[in-house]
Structure formats: C-alpha cells, structure tokens
Amino acid sequence: MSLLSGSSERAFNAENWGYPPHNRASFQQVQQLVPTIRLSRGSEPVRPFSESIKDVSGITYAGSGGEWRTVQQMLDETYTDAFLVTKNGMLIAEEYRNGMGADSHHLLNSVSKSFLGMLVGILVAEGKLDPNEKLVTYIPEFSETAFQKTTLQQALDMTAAVKFGEDYDDRQADFWLETAVVGWRPALVDEHLAKTLFQFACALKDTEQVDGEHFRYRTVLTNVIAMAVERATQQSVAKLVEEKIWQPLGPEQDAVVVVDSSGFPYFGAGMNACARDLGRFGEMLAQNGRYRGIQIVPESWVEDTANGNEQVKALFAAGANSGLIPGGHYRNQVWADSTRHLLVCIGIHGQTIFVNQKTGVVVVKLSTHPSPAELPLYEDTFAGMWAITIGV
C-alpha cells in the first residue's frame, strides 16, 4: 500500500522509497517509513537569520565540459529540493522546490556523518575519547572482528582495515545490507541478517587492507564510532549530539535520526533536518566551531579537520573517491580542501553543506538525484557552489 496518493513518484512504499522517482517524495517522509528518534531543538526562542537577499541565479561558472553555466541551470538540472546561501550569518538566498518548505525535513544521508565527527572532537577535548586509542579498548567485543586493530582516528578518516562493500549500484552490497538492519531495504532481510547495527558490526570478520593503508569510504565505520562514543561516555550518542551540537546551534526545528530495533541511531546515513538548520551547522564550521558567541566544537578540532595532514591527503588522492574533491582530503568524517579553505559535508543522492571558511559563505543543497553517486551531478553542483562562495 502506498503511503502517499497521487502521481507515481508520490506513491512510495517501504520497498520502493529509495529508488527514483519515488525518492522525490519519500526523502521528505522518512518518519513515515521507519522508526526514528528526535533531536529536540530545546526550549530557547528561535533566533532567525538576518537577511540580505540577493539573486544568485545568474552567477556563472565553467561546467565540466568547459561550457559556461549559471547557478540557475545547476539548480534546475540537479534535482534540487532545497537551496540556501548564508554569508557571515546573513541569509543571502533561499529556495524550496518539490513540495518542500523552510520547516520540511529531508533525509541527509551521509551528511549525518559530519555531525558525529564533530561530536567526537568535543568528547576528545573533554578527555572522554582518545583518537589514537583502538576501538577495541572501548568495545571489547570487537577483539575477534575486523576492527580489532583499528584506531578511532582511522575510523574517523575512513582508513580502517574492514572489508565492507559500498558500491551503491550493487543492490546486495554490504552498505545496503546494513541499511536493511534499520528497515531501508526490506527485501534484503532474512534469518541470517543481524537484528541490530551492533550485531552487524560484530559479524564483520574480514579485512581488505592494513589499518591506515588506504582511504576507502565505508559507512559502517561511522556506526562503530557511534558505538565507541556510547561505551566511552555511558550516554546515548543521540542525546550527546542533541545536547552538545544541535541545541547550541539554536535550530528552528527538531532533527530526526533513523534507529535500529534496539533504538541505536543510524548516524551513518539516517539523520533528517531542515535546510536552515543545516545552514547553522555550516556557519559553525565556517567559524572554526564557534556560533552565536559559543565555542560549540573545539577550534583545534575544526582546524585539524580543515587542514588534514600529508598522510590523509596522499591516501585520499590515491583513493576511488578523490574525484569528488580533487586535491582534497577526508578527515574526521568531513570532506575538505585546505588550499581552497573548504569544508564539505556530502550525502548520496545530492545532499551537501558546502563551507568556504575564507569568504564565510555557506551553501546548503538538499536533492533527490536518481542515482546515489552520479559524479557529473556532484561535479556540476560543486562548481556552482564554489562560484557562489567567491561571488556573493
């Protein structure tokens, strides 16, 4: 039975919601599909953005084929659902499409990872986590798994040893099997599938490299980081994100996170939020962890994320995902380019928070690309976003 009536793209159900054209509607309705928990915005009054609205649609940039394009073309051709631009705390541009509004939730996919990565930085500063410590120190059950020698930092930087397939075009890939644990792919559920994300992680025994040897993007690493956070703090990782990041941002809306049957949140890809509040998170990154006069994430952690080091840059350059941010790196669950002062949070199907720390410009775009990782759409989007960050 469909959850929404109307056109075929609106008539999604538990089986087809992740595929086009149904994702055009379903990414705004995840709470109808699977169990979630809320990250409360708290009781503080909303502090709205100051506005200085400009027309950015005519800003031009060179497309991948060398032709000159406009931001308007980029928005029209990359399945845009929500788009906004801020500069030094001022709302510069805002546009909603495909039935979205300023208060609409949208699935963030792997943009979720960056929230967890910033939480780790806070906990490191508090002395509750050590990035150089092995995961098994926090989770002894990992002693017989592929994570037995992996450090927290290696998990944060996606250089761990675990064998985990994340080819989104392979519907039997480990990534999709893991999402089946949280209800995303019911067709993959059978008697052999783990019942929780923790059980799924514990079942991973094989490695595909030496820890720290290669950069390979694997969502399971985010989920084991969240498990280490809970073990180290003896607190809910969702509550920690709520109290230490979400509420200090002064958001307009609650956020929502998908959970497994045990109530454990899927920060690998399961967060949902509205565009304005993602703009606030981007503003915080632009200011090296500071927002509304509060140092939310330690400045040193954001600087380490932005600057990386020669090792992570070399591993990233040799990796399969280097085309997303040419010349960049991956650090602490965030994509970055230190030469252009960029921090970028990226999720499949076109979710992006694009932060230029030098100009103070943040661009948020929520989308529903037909394919999870269609590189030309990302290349065009990022080229347009870069032009915006240096042109407004």
Side-chain angles (χ1 to χ4, degrees):
M1 179 177 293
S2 67
L3 291 173
L4 293 178
S5 60
S7 66
S8 60
E9 73 179 34
R10 299 283 162 185
F12 61 86
N13 57 42
E15 297 288 348
N16 66 22
W17 74 274
Y19 304 111
H22 311 292
N23 64 334
R24 292 289 284 163
S26 64
F27 278 17
Q28 300 175 42
Q29 305 290 340
V30 170
Q31 295 172 76
Q32 295 187 34
L33 289 158
V34 292
T36 59
I37 56 173
R38 300 186 80 81
L39 307 183
S40 170
R41 63 162 300 276
S43 58
E44 292 295 316
V46 172
R47 183 186 296 182
F49 280 108
S50 300
E51 296 187 8
S52 179
I53 301 299
K54 301 179 180 178
D55 182 5
V56 302
S57 63
I59 292 175
T60 59
Y61 63 95
S64 57
E67 76 287 2
W68 284 98
R69 293 171 51 78
T70 66
V71 167
Q72 184 69 54
Q73 287 176 290
M74 180 269 286
L75 295 175
D76 290 344
E77 297 172 14
T78 57
Y79 302 87
T80 303
D81 296 330
F83 169 75
L84 66 80
V85 181
T86 68
K87 181 174 183 177
N88 298 325
M90 300 282 289
L91 185 64
I92 301 296
E94 184 177 31
E95 182 176 344
Y96 297 98
R97 303 182 179 194
N98 191 30
M100 279 197 72
D103 60 350
S104 299
H105 282 83
H106 194 287
L107 180 63
L108 306 187
N109 288 308
S110 289
V111 169
S112 314
K113 293 177 169 71
S114 300
F115 283 84
L116 183 66
M118 293 303 101
L119 173 66
V120 170
I122 296 171
L123 298 175
V124 168
E126 293 178 353
K128 296 174 180 175
L129 285 171
D130 180 350
N132 297 312
E133 194 61 78
K134 290 182 179 178
L135 291 172
V136 72
T137 302
Y138 303 110
I139 309 173
E141 295 94 326
F142 281 176
S143 61
E144 301 298 325
T145 73
F147 307 108
Q148 60 181 290
K149 297 179 181 179
T150 303
T151 67
L152 178 61
Q153 190 66 64
Q154 287 164 341
L156 285 163
D157 296 345
M158 298 287 183
T159 64
V162 63
K163 183 179 180 181
F164 182 87
E166 192 138 351
D167 178 356
Y168 303 117
D169 293 329
D170 177 3
R171 294 192 178 189
Q172 300 290 322
D174 293 320
F175 171 78
W176 294 119
L177 288 170
E178 189 181 39
T179 70
V181 175
V182 296
W184 285 18
R185 291 292 185 271
L188 296 177
V189 176
D190 60 25
E191 67 274 15
H192 304 295
L193 186 70
K195 299 298 188 292
T196 68
L197 292 170
F198 181 67
Q199 291 174 3
F200 184 91
C202 286
L204 296 176
K205 309 294 187 182
D206 297 333
T207 60
E208 60 183 6
Q209 64 183 57
V210 174
D211 285 290
E213 184 179 26
H214 300 291
F215 167 75
R216 298 189 193 280
Y217 189 87
R218 288 152 295 174
T219 292
V220 69
L221 293 172
T222 307
N223 297 321
V224 300
I225 293 166
M227 295 167 198
V229 166
E230 289 208 344
R231 290 293 184 90
T233 63
Q234 293 298 298
Q235 296 181 68
S236 158
V237 65
K239 272 294 179 186
L240 288 169
V241 172
E242 176 186 86
E243 295 173 2
K244 294 182 178 294
I245 295 181
W246 195 250
Q247 291 182 353
L249 289 173
E252 296 184 24
Q253 308 291 333
D254 294 349
V256 175
V257 189
V258 173
V259 295
D260 69 11
S261 61
S262 73
F264 186 79
Y266 181 43
F267 274 107
M271 195 167 169
N272 300 256
C274 76
R276 287 182 181 176
D277 293 335
L278 299 179
R280 290 174 166 89
F281 184 73
E283 287 274 338
M284 184 270 292
L285 292 178
Q287 300 173 46
N288 276 331
R290 191 173 183 84
Y291 188 64
R292 301 195 310 163
I294 302 170
Q295 192 70 44
I296 298 174
V297 179
E299 181 176 4
S300 59
W301 187 259
V302 181
E303 288 179 343
D304 176 65
T305 302
N307 296 329
N309 57 48
E310 293 308 311
Q311 181 185 26
V312 297
K313 290 178 181 179
L315 294 179
F316 183 82
N321 299 102
S322 60
L324 273 175
I325 308 288
H329 63 271
Y330 189 90
R331 183 74 163 172
N332 299 329
Q333 304 282 287
V334 178
W335 308 75
D337 180 348
S338 59
T339 61
R340 293 195 292 167
H341 309 279
L342 292 180
L343 289 167
V344 190
C345 313
I346 303 173
I348 57 173
H349 291 283
Q351 323 318 320
T352 307
I353 306 174
F354 195 91
V355 180
N356 188 325
Q357 290 188 306
K358 185 174 183 179
T359 63
V361 177
V362 175
V363 185
V364 174
K365 187 173 182 292
L366 300 173
S367 315
T368 33
H369 294 176
S371 299
E374 194 168 339
L375 188 58
L377 292 181
Y378 283 99
E379 290 175 337
D380 191 64
T381 297
F382 292 169
M385 288 181 170
W386 170 250
I388 291 169
T389 67
I390 62 175
V392 297

mmCIF file of all heavy atoms in Angstrom, residues 109-152:
data_model
loop_
_atom_site.group_PDB
_atom_site.id
_atom_site.type_symbol
_atom_site.label_atom_id
_atom_site.label_comp_id
_atom_site.label_asym_id
_atom_site.label_seq_id
_atom_site.Cartn_x
_atom_site.Cartn_y
_atom_site.Cartn_z
ATOM 1 N N ASN A 109 21.253 11.553 4.377
ATOM 2 C CA ASN A 109 22.216 10.519 4.054
ATOM 3 C C ASN A 109 23.540 10.796 4.775
ATOM 4 O O ASN A 109 23.536 11.104 5.952
ATOM 5 C CB ASN A 109 22.351 10.358 2.539
ATOM 6 C CG ASN A 109 21.116 9.692 1.928
ATOM 7 O OD1 ASN A 109 20.687 8.639 2.384
ATOM 8 N ND2 ASN A 109 20.529 10.310 0.912
ATOM 9 N N SER A 110 24.667 10.759 4.091
ATOM 10 C CA SER A 110 25.946 10.793 4.802
ATOM 11 C C SER A 110 26.362 12.158 5.330
ATOM 12 O O SER A 110 27.394 12.268 5.993
ATOM 13 C CB SER A 110 27.052 10.228 3.920
ATOM 14 O OG SER A 110 26.887 8.826 3.780
ATOM 15 N N VAL A 111 25.597 13.202 5.078
ATOM 16 C CA VAL A 111 25.833 14.455 5.802
ATOM 17 C C VAL A 111 25.723 14.187 7.304
ATOM 18 O O VAL A 111 26.368 14.840 8.122
ATOM 19 C CB VAL A 111 24.835 15.545 5.352
ATOM 20 C CG1 VAL A 111 24.875 16.753 6.275
ATOM 21 C CG2 VAL A 111 25.149 15.984 3.917
ATOM 22 N N SER A 112 24.945 13.171 7.663
ATOM 23 C CA SER A 112 24.803 12.759 9.066
ATOM 24 C C SER A 112 26.158 12.500 9.717
ATOM 25 O O SER A 112 26.361 12.794 10.902
ATOM 26 C CB SER A 112 23.968 11.480 9.154
ATOM 27 O OG SER A 112 22.810 11.520 8.370
ATOM 28 N N LYS A 113 27.076 11.916 8.960
ATOM 29 C CA LYS A 113 28.383 11.541 9.490
ATOM 30 C C LYS A 113 29.124 12.729 10.099
ATOM 31 O O LYS A 113 29.824 12.605 11.112
ATOM 32 C CB LYS A 113 29.246 10.936 8.382
ATOM 33 C CG LYS A 113 28.772 9.596 7.840
ATOM 34 C CD LYS A 113 29.666 9.143 6.699
ATOM 35 C CE LYS A 113 29.425 7.690 6.291
ATOM 36 N NZ LYS A 113 28.145 7.478 5.616
ATOM 37 N N SER A 114 28.997 13.886 9.481
ATOM 38 C CA SER A 114 29.766 15.047 9.920
ATOM 39 C C SER A 114 29.333 15.541 11.296
ATOM 40 O O SER A 114 30.147 16.086 12.054
ATOM 41 C CB SER A 114 29.650 16.168 8.887
ATOM 42 O OG SER A 114 30.143 15.743 7.626
ATOM 43 N N PHE A 115 28.066 15.356 11.634
ATOM 44 C CA PHE A 115 27.603 15.714 12.967
ATOM 45 C C PHE A 115 28.285 14.840 14.012
ATOM 46 O O PHE A 115 28.733 15.322 15.061
ATOM 47 C CB PHE A 115 26.080 15.590 13.060
ATOM 48 C CG PHE A 115 25.341 16.719 12.411
ATOM 49 C CD1 PHE A 115 25.087 16.717 11.046
ATOM 50 C CD2 PHE A 115 24.912 17.805 13.167
ATOM 51 C CE1 PHE A 115 24.415 17.769 10.450
ATOM 52 C CE2 PHE A 115 24.234 18.862 12.577
ATOM 53 C CZ PHE A 115 23.984 18.845 11.214
ATOM 54 N N LEU A 116 28.395 13.553 13.727
ATOM 55 C CA LEU A 116 29.066 12.651 14.646
ATOM 56 C C LEU A 116 30.556 12.972 14.736
ATOM 57 O O LEU A 116 31.143 12.959 15.827
ATOM 58 C CB LEU A 116 28.868 11.207 14.210
ATOM 59 C CG LEU A 116 29.472 10.166 15.145
ATOM 60 C CD1 LEU A 116 28.775 10.165 16.499
ATOM 61 C CD2 LEU A 116 29.417 8.768 14.520
ATOM 62 N N GLY A 117 31.174 13.273 13.589
ATOM 63 C CA GLY A 117 32.587 13.618 13.602
ATOM 64 C C GLY A 117 32.892 14.821 14.460
ATOM 65 O O GLY A 117 33.907 14.871 15.165
ATOM 66 N N MET A 118 32.009 15.812 14.450
ATOM 67 C CA MET A 118 32.213 16.996 15.287
ATOM 68 C C MET A 118 31.945 16.690 16.757
ATOM 69 O O MET A 118 32.612 17.229 17.644
ATOM 70 C CB MET A 118 31.336 18.138 14.803
ATOM 71 C CG MET A 118 31.720 18.686 13.424
ATOM 72 S SD MET A 118 33.461 19.256 13.315
ATOM 73 C CE MET A 118 34.234 17.853 12.461
ATOM 74 N N LEU A 119 30.999 15.799 17.033
ATOM 75 C CA LEU A 119 30.778 15.385 18.420
ATOM 76 C C LEU A 119 32.031 14.731 18.990
ATOM 77 O O LEU A 119 32.405 14.997 20.144
ATOM 78 C CB LEU A 119 29.605 14.414 18.502
ATOM 79 C CG LEU A 119 29.385 13.783 19.884
ATOM 80 C CD1 LEU A 119 28.962 14.831 20.904
ATOM 81 C CD2 LEU A 119 28.381 12.638 19.815
ATOM 82 N N VAL A 120 32.689 13.898 18.211
ATOM 83 C CA VAL A 120 33.907 13.244 18.688
ATOM 84 C C VAL A 120 34.941 14.288 19.104
ATOM 85 O O VAL A 120 35.610 14.136 20.130
ATOM 86 C CB VAL A 120 34.471 12.294 17.616
ATOM 87 C CG1 VAL A 120 35.859 11.799 18.018
ATOM 88 C CG2 VAL A 120 33.536 11.112 17.412
ATOM 89 N N GLY A 121 35.064 15.352 18.334
ATOM 90 C CA GLY A 121 36.015 16.405 18.686
ATOM 91 C C GLY A 121 35.720 17.020 20.039
ATOM 92 O O GLY A 121 36.641 17.340 20.815
ATOM 93 N N ILE A 122 34.450 17.200 20.345
ATOM 94 C CA ILE A 122 34.054 17.733 21.647
ATOM 95 C C ILE A 122 34.445 16.771 22.753
ATOM 96 O O ILE A 122 35.017 17.171 23.788
ATOM 97 C CB ILE A 122 32.535 17.995 21.677
ATOM 98 C CG1 ILE A 122 32.149 19.077 20.664
ATOM 99 C CG2 ILE A 122 32.077 18.387 23.082
ATOM 100 C CD1 ILE A 122 30.643 19.236 20.475
ATOM 101 N N LEU A 123 34.181 15.479 22.543
ATOM 102 C CA LEU A 123 34.466 14.475 23.566
ATOM 103 C C LEU A 123 35.958 14.255 23.746
ATOM 104 O O LEU A 123 36.418 13.959 24.855
ATOM 105 C CB LEU A 123 33.767 13.165 23.204
ATOM 106 C CG LEU A 123 32.233 13.248 23.134
ATOM 107 C CD1 LEU A 123 31.652 11.926 22.649
ATOM 108 C CD2 LEU A 123 31.644 13.631 24.484
ATOM 109 N N VAL A 124 36.735 14.409 22.690
ATOM 110 C CA VAL A 124 38.195 14.336 22.808
ATOM 111 C C VAL A 124 38.691 15.465 23.705
ATOM 112 O O VAL A 124 39.522 15.264 24.604
ATOM 113 C CB VAL A 124 38.863 14.392 21.417
ATOM 114 C CG1 VAL A 124 40.372 14.621 21.547
ATOM 115 C CG2 VAL A 124 38.590 13.108 20.636
ATOM 116 N N ALA A 125 38.177 16.671 23.492
ATOM 117 C CA ALA A 125 38.581 17.821 24.314
ATOM 118 C C ALA A 125 38.181 17.635 25.772
ATOM 119 O O ALA A 125 38.855 18.126 26.683
ATOM 120 C CB ALA A 125 37.968 19.096 23.752
ATOM 121 N N GLU A 126 37.097 16.914 26.002
ATOM 122 C CA GLU A 126 36.632 16.648 27.370
ATOM 123 C C GLU A 126 37.376 15.484 28.017
ATOM 124 O O GLU A 126 37.122 15.154 29.184
ATOM 125 C CB GLU A 126 35.131 16.356 27.360
ATOM 126 C CG GLU A 126 34.275 17.566 26.983
ATOM 127 C CD GLU A 126 32.793 17.228 26.938
ATOM 128 O OE1 GLU A 126 32.443 16.035 27.062
ATOM 129 O OE2 GLU A 126 31.980 18.162 26.776
ATOM 130 N N GLY A 127 38.266 14.852 27.267
ATOM 131 C CA GLY A 127 39.033 13.743 27.809
ATOM 132 C C GLY A 127 38.287 12.424 27.855
ATOM 133 O O GLY A 127 38.739 11.464 28.507
ATOM 134 N N LYS A 128 37.176 12.332 27.145
ATOM 135 C CA LYS A 128 36.359 11.114 27.180
ATOM 136 C C LYS A 128 36.684 10.148 26.049
ATOM 137 O O LYS A 128 36.274 8.984 26.092
ATOM 138 C CB LYS A 128 34.881 11.485 27.143
ATOM 139 C CG LYS A 128 34.445 12.279 28.381
ATOM 140 C CD LYS A 128 33.014 12.764 28.280
ATOM 141 C CE LYS A 128 32.635 13.552 29.532
ATOM 142 N NZ LYS A 128 31.284 14.153 29.435
ATOM 143 N N LEU A 129 37.393 10.630 25.056
ATOM 144 C CA LEU A 129 37.821 9.798 23.934
ATOM 145 C C LEU A 129 39.253 10.147 23.571
ATOM 146 O O LEU A 129 39.673 11.311 23.716
ATOM 147 C CB LEU A 129 36.927 10.010 22.707
ATOM 148 C CG LEU A 129 35.526 9.405 22.695
ATOM 149 C CD1 LEU A 129 34.760 9.934 21.487
ATOM 150 C CD2 LEU A 129 35.569 7.887 22.670
ATOM 151 N N ASP A 130 39.986 9.163 23.067
ATOM 152 C CA ASP A 130 41.341 9.377 22.558
ATOM 153 C C ASP A 130 41.363 8.906 21.115
ATOM 154 O O ASP A 130 41.156 7.714 20.842
ATOM 155 C CB ASP A 130 42.349 8.588 23.394
ATOM 156 C CG ASP A 130 43.784 8.765 22.903
ATOM 157 O OD1 ASP A 130 43.984 9.342 21.817
ATOM 158 O OD2 ASP A 130 44.692 8.294 23.602
ATOM 159 N N PRO A 131 41.579 9.801 20.147
ATOM 160 C CA PRO A 131 41.522 9.382 18.745
ATOM 161 C C PRO A 131 42.566 8.344 18.375
ATOM 162 O O PRO A 131 42.392 7.612 17.393
ATOM 163 C CB PRO A 131 41.734 10.690 17.972
ATOM 164 C CG PRO A 131 42.355 11.626 18.948
ATOM 165 C CD PRO A 131 41.846 11.244 20.297
ATOM 166 N N ASN A 132 43.648 8.257 19.159
ATOM 167 C CA ASN A 132 44.693 7.287 18.855
ATOM 168 C C ASN A 132 44.479 5.947 19.541
ATOM 169 O O ASN A 132 45.267 5.015 19.348
ATOM 170 C CB ASN A 132 46.056 7.858 19.259
ATOM 171 C CG ASN A 132 46.399 9.106 18.471
ATOM 172 O OD1 ASN A 132 46.269 9.130 17.254
ATOM 173 N ND2 ASN A 132 46.812 10.165 19.159
ATOM 174 N N GLU A 133 43.414 5.837 20.326
ATOM 175 C CA GLU A 133 43.096 4.587 21.011
ATOM 176 C C GLU A 133 42.396 3.631 20.052
ATOM 177 O O GLU A 133 41.682 4.044 19.136
ATOM 178 C CB GLU A 133 42.198 4.876 22.208
ATOM 179 C CG GLU A 133 42.054 3.744 23.190
ATOM 180 C CD GLU A 133 43.364 3.336 23.830
ATOM 181 O OE1 GLU A 133 43.828 4.030 24.757
ATOM 182 O OE2 GLU A 133 43.913 2.309 23.379
ATOM 183 N N LYS A 134 42.600 2.347 20.266
ATOM 184 C CA LYS A 134 41.926 1.359 19.434
ATOM 185 C C LYS A 134 40.460 1.240 19.828
ATOM 186 O O LYS A 134 40.106 1.372 21.002
ATOM 187 C CB LYS A 134 42.618 0.013 19.558
ATOM 188 C CG LYS A 134 44.001 -0.023 18.909
ATOM 189 C CD LYS A 134 44.628 -1.392 19.021
ATOM 190 C CE LYS A 134 46.004 -1.416 18.357
ATOM 191 N NZ LYS A 134 46.665 -2.743 18.495
ATOM 192 N N LEU A 135 39.624 0.956 18.836
ATOM 193 C CA LEU A 135 38.198 0.785 19.097
ATOM 194 C C LEU A 135 37.937 -0.324 20.108
ATOM 195 O O LEU A 135 37.015 -0.242 20.918
ATOM 196 C CB LEU A 135 37.467 0.471 17.794
ATOM 197 C CG LEU A 135 37.378 1.593 16.758
ATOM 198 C CD1 LEU A 135 36.811 1.055 15.456
ATOM 199 C CD2 LEU A 135 36.533 2.751 17.263
ATOM 200 N N VAL A 136 38.766 -1.354 20.081
ATOM 201 C CA VAL A 136 38.559 -2.486 20.969
ATOM 202 C C VAL A 136 38.721 -2.103 22.431
ATOM 203 O O VAL A 136 38.183 -2.768 23.325
ATOM 204 C CB VAL A 136 39.501 -3.650 20.583
ATOM 205 C CG1 VAL A 136 40.942 -3.335 20.967
ATOM 206 C CG2 VAL A 136 39.031 -4.959 21.171
ATOM 207 N N THR A 137 39.434 -1.023 22.696
ATOM 208 C CA THR A 137 39.555 -0.528 24.065
ATOM 209 C C THR A 137 38.194 -0.121 24.609
ATOM 210 O O THR A 137 37.891 -0.336 25.788
ATOM 211 C CB THR A 137 40.521 0.666 24.122
ATOM 212 O OG1 THR A 137 41.793 0.262 23.612
ATOM 213 C CG2 THR A 137 40.669 1.195 25.541
ATOM 214 N N TYR A 138 37.390 0.468 23.738
ATOM 215 C CA TYR A 138 36.054 0.902 24.136
ATOM 216 C C TYR A 138 35.020 -0.216 23.973
ATOM 217 O O TYR A 138 34.038 -0.278 24.715
ATOM 218 C CB TYR A 138 35.626 2.111 23.298
ATOM 219 C CG TYR A 138 36.581 3.276 23.395
ATOM 220 C CD1 TYR A 138 37.375 3.642 22.307
ATOM 221 C CD2 TYR A 138 36.721 3.993 24.577
ATOM 222 C CE1 TYR A 138 38.258 4.705 22.391
ATOM 223 C CE2 TYR A 138 37.607 5.066 24.674
ATOM 224 C CZ TYR A 138 38.376 5.406 23.580
ATOM 225 O OH TYR A 138 39.257 6.461 23.660
ATOM 226 N N ILE A 139 35.255 -1.091 22.992
ATOM 227 C CA ILE A 139 34.290 -2.148 22.675
ATOM 228 C C ILE A 139 35.034 -3.482 22.643
ATOM 229 O O ILE A 139 35.488 -3.941 21.583
ATOM 230 C CB ILE A 139 33.602 -1.878 21.317
ATOM 231 C CG1 ILE A 139 33.052 -0.451 21.262
ATOM 232 C CG2 ILE A 139 32.474 -2.885 21.071
ATOM 233 C CD1 ILE A 139 32.519 -0.042 19.916
ATOM 234 N N PRO A 140 35.213 -4.131 23.795
ATOM 235 C CA PRO A 140 35.975 -5.389 23.841
ATOM 236 C C PRO A 140 35.426 -6.464 22.906
ATOM 237 O O PRO A 140 36.187 -7.326 22.437
ATOM 238 C CB PRO A 140 35.839 -5.810 25.308
ATOM 239 C CG PRO A 140 35.600 -4.538 26.055
ATOM 240 C CD PRO A 140 34.788 -3.686 25.123
ATOM 241 N N GLU A 141 34.134 -6.420 22.605
ATOM 242 C CA GLU A 141 33.550 -7.412 21.702
ATOM 243 C C GLU A 141 34.153 -7.361 20.297
ATOM 244 O O GLU A 141 33.979 -8.298 19.511
ATOM 245 C CB GLU A 141 32.032 -7.209 21.600
ATOM 246 C CG GLU A 141 31.285 -7.461 22.901
ATOM 247 C CD GLU A 141 31.083 -6.179 23.711
ATOM 248 O OE1 GLU A 141 31.963 -5.294 23.671
ATOM 249 O OE2 GLU A 141 30.044 -6.078 24.382
ATOM 250 N N PHE A 142 34.851 -6.296 19.968
ATOM 251 C CA PHE A 142 35.477 -6.180 18.655
ATOM 252 C C PHE A 142 36.797 -6.952 18.564
ATOM 253 O O PHE A 142 37.453 -6.930 17.518
ATOM 254 C CB PHE A 142 35.736 -4.713 18.311
ATOM 255 C CG PHE A 142 34.510 -3.960 17.836
ATOM 256 C CD1 PHE A 142 34.591 -2.594 17.566
ATOM 257 C CD2 PHE A 142 33.301 -4.596 17.648
ATOM 258 C CE1 PHE A 142 33.473 -1.888 17.120
ATOM 259 C CE2 PHE A 142 32.178 -3.901 17.209
ATOM 260 C CZ PHE A 142 32.267 -2.545 16.938
ATOM 261 N N SER A 143 37.203 -7.632 19.619
ATOM 262 C CA SER A 143 38.513 -8.289 19.633
ATOM 263 C C SER A 143 38.621 -9.407 18.603
ATOM 264 O O SER A 143 39.728 -9.766 18.186
ATOM 265 C CB SER A 143 38.824 -8.840 21.025
ATOM 266 O OG SER A 143 37.866 -9.812 21.404
ATOM 267 N N GLU A 144 37.496 -9.974 18.192
ATOM 268 C CA GLU A 144 37.511 -11.053 17.202
ATOM 269 C C GLU A 144 36.921 -10.604 15.863
ATOM 270 O O GLU A 144 36.464 -11.428 15.076
ATOM 271 C CB GLU A 144 36.724 -12.261 17.727
ATOM 272 C CG GLU A 144 37.244 -12.828 19.035
ATOM 273 C CD GLU A 144 38.662 -13.356 18.907
ATOM 274 O OE1 GLU A 144 39.002 -13.889 17.822
ATOM 275 O OE2 GLU A 144 39.436 -13.229 19.873
ATOM 276 N N THR A 145 36.936 -9.304 15.619
ATOM 277 C CA THR A 145 36.349 -8.763 14.392
ATOM 278 C C THR A 145 37.401 -8.069 13.542
ATOM 279 O O THR A 145 38.577 -7.965 13.928
ATOM 280 C CB THR A 145 35.236 -7.744 14.724
ATOM 281 O OG1 THR A 145 35.846 -6.542 15.217
ATOM 282 C CG2 THR A 145 34.267 -8.291 15.761
ATOM 283 N N ALA A 146 36.966 -7.545 12.414
ATOM 284 C CA ALA A 146 37.871 -6.803 11.532
ATOM 285 C C ALA A 146 38.324 -5.482 12.146
ATOM 286 O O ALA A 146 39.235 -4.835 11.615
ATOM 287 C CB ALA A 146 37.178 -6.533 10.202
ATOM 288 N N PHE A 147 37.720 -5.075 13.257
ATOM 289 C CA PHE A 147 38.062 -3.801 13.900
ATOM 290 C C PHE A 147 39.076 -3.952 15.029
ATOM 291 O O PHE A 147 39.366 -2.989 15.731
ATOM 292 C CB PHE A 147 36.790 -3.151 14.464
ATOM 293 C CG PHE A 147 35.677 -3.005 13.468
ATOM 294 C CD1 PHE A 147 34.539 -3.806 13.560
ATOM 295 C CD2 PHE A 147 35.762 -2.093 12.425
ATOM 296 C CE1 PHE A 147 33.511 -3.682 12.638
ATOM 297 C CE2 PHE A 147 34.738 -1.969 11.502
ATOM 298 C CZ PHE A 147 33.608 -2.767 11.604
ATOM 299 N N GLN A 148 39.636 -5.128 15.214
ATOM 300 C CA GLN A 148 40.439 -5.393 16.398
ATOM 301 C C GLN A 148 41.690 -4.522 16.500
ATOM 302 O O GLN A 148 42.156 -4.227 17.607
ATOM 303 C CB GLN A 148 40.833 -6.875 16.454
ATOM 304 C CG GLN A 148 41.648 -7.357 15.289
ATOM 305 C CD GLN A 148 41.973 -8.842 15.403
ATOM 306 O OE1 GLN A 148 42.761 -9.244 16.247
ATOM 307 N NE2 GLN A 148 41.350 -9.660 14.569
ATOM 308 N N LYS A 149 42.234 -4.064 15.370
ATOM 309 C CA LYS A 149 43.437 -3.232 15.406
ATOM 310 C C LYS A 149 43.172 -1.786 14.981
ATOM 311 O O LYS A 149 44.086 -0.971 14.920
ATOM 312 C CB LYS A 149 44.515 -3.841 14.507
ATOM 313 C CG LYS A 149 44.981 -5.219 14.941
ATOM 314 C CD LYS A 149 46.028 -5.771 13.986
ATOM 315 C CE LYS A 149 46.479 -7.169 14.407
ATOM 316 N NZ LYS A 149 47.484 -7.723 13.455
ATOM 317 N N THR A 150 41.924 -1.470 14.687
ATOM 318 C CA THR A 150 41.569 -0.149 14.154
ATOM 319 C C THR A 150 41.524 0.894 15.267
ATOM 320 O O THR A 150 40.917 0.665 16.317
ATOM 321 C CB THR A 150 40.193 -0.213 13.472
ATOM 322 O OG1 THR A 150 40.213 -1.196 12.443
ATOM 323 C CG2 THR A 150 39.813 1.139 12.888
ATOM 324 N N THR A 151 42.142 2.050 15.021
ATOM 325 C CA THR A 151 42.032 3.149 15.974
ATOM 326 C C THR A 151 40.806 4.001 15.662
ATOM 327 O O THR A 151 40.270 3.960 14.547
ATOM 328 C CB THR A 151 43.275 4.057 15.949
ATOM 329 O OG1 THR A 151 43.324 4.744 14.683
ATOM 330 C CG2 THR A 151 44.550 3.267 16.167
ATOM 331 N N LEU A 152 40.399 4.774 16.638
ATOM 332 C CA LEU A 152 39.276 5.691 16.435
ATOM 333 C C LEU A 152 39.579 6.656 15.299
ATOM 334 O O LEU A 152 38.712 6.932 14.463
ATOM 335 C CB LEU A 152 38.991 6.446 17.731
ATOM 336 C CG LEU A 152 37.867 7.481 17.698
ATOM 337 C CD1 LEU A 152 36.537 6.843 17.347
ATOM 338 C CD2 LEU A 152 37.781 8.210 19.043
#
